[in-house]
Amino acid sequence: MDDAEQAEVAESVGKNPDGDPEKPEKPEKASGSVPEGRRKVPYWLSQVPYALVLSALAAGIVVVAAAYFKRGPAIIAGALLLAATFRLFLPKDWIGLLAVRRRWVDLLTLVSLALLLIVLAWVAPQLSA
């Protein structure tokens, strides 16, 4: 490429195909962008509800491992109901990894599992030590 071609390319950089100088355009919004009134949540903050649910699940598993077969599933069911509450009330950019499927599918799954675990905790025999 010679000097004349380089100069022509350099001049055309700031112009659109019609030869007019480009006007600054407003960036188009993506379909999943955040509305103007709300700021985007940092990634680590959007994972806080997920971390709370995981810690409650871990606590329930520890209680089950300690041979409390009525309290453990009840704690796990509480963690699932907590996840369902987060999924129901928090906006999509705040729930992080709790959003797996559509909202209604997640809610139906979480509440169903919680109810089944509550029934399990109710009918499980208490072991005497």
Side-chain angles (χ1 to χ4, degrees):
M1 188 183 274
D2 63 349
D3 292 334
E5 290 175 348
Q6 287 179 352
E8 186 179 329
V9 169
E11 287 177 11
S12 68
V13 168
K15 298 180 180 178
N16 62 13
D18 297 333
D20 297 331
E22 288 188 18
K23 297 175 187 167
E25 297 179 13
K26 293 181 183 176
E28 294 182 18
K29 286 189 173 184
S31 61
S33 66
V34 179
E36 289 183 22
R38 200 171 11 147
R39 292 187 334 215
K40 185 156 176 64
V41 178
Y43 178 76
W44 67 270
L45 189 59
S46 68
Q47 300 308 320
V48 170
Y50 183 67
L52 290 173
V53 170
L54 279 182
S55 61
L57 284 171
I61 291 171
V62 167
V63 170
V64 169
Y68 293 101
F69 297 112
K70 284 188 169 282
R71 292 182 196 149
I75 293 171
I76 295 172
L80 291 172
L81 290 175
L82 178 67
T85 304
F86 284 149
R87 187 70 174 102
L88 180 62
F89 292 114
L90 291 179
K92 188 172 185 173
D93 55 339
W94 276 75
I95 52 176
L97 293 174
L98 287 177
V100 178
R101 295 162 293 270
R102 291 185 176 157
R103 184 175 294 209
W104 69 269
V105 175
D106 285 342
L107 287 172
L108 182 67
T109 305
L110 289 167
V111 171
S112 304
L113 288 174
L115 290 175
L116 288 172
L117 279 171
I118 289 171
V119 169
L120 174 69
W122 189 4
V123 299
Q126 182 64 40
L127 297 176
S128 58

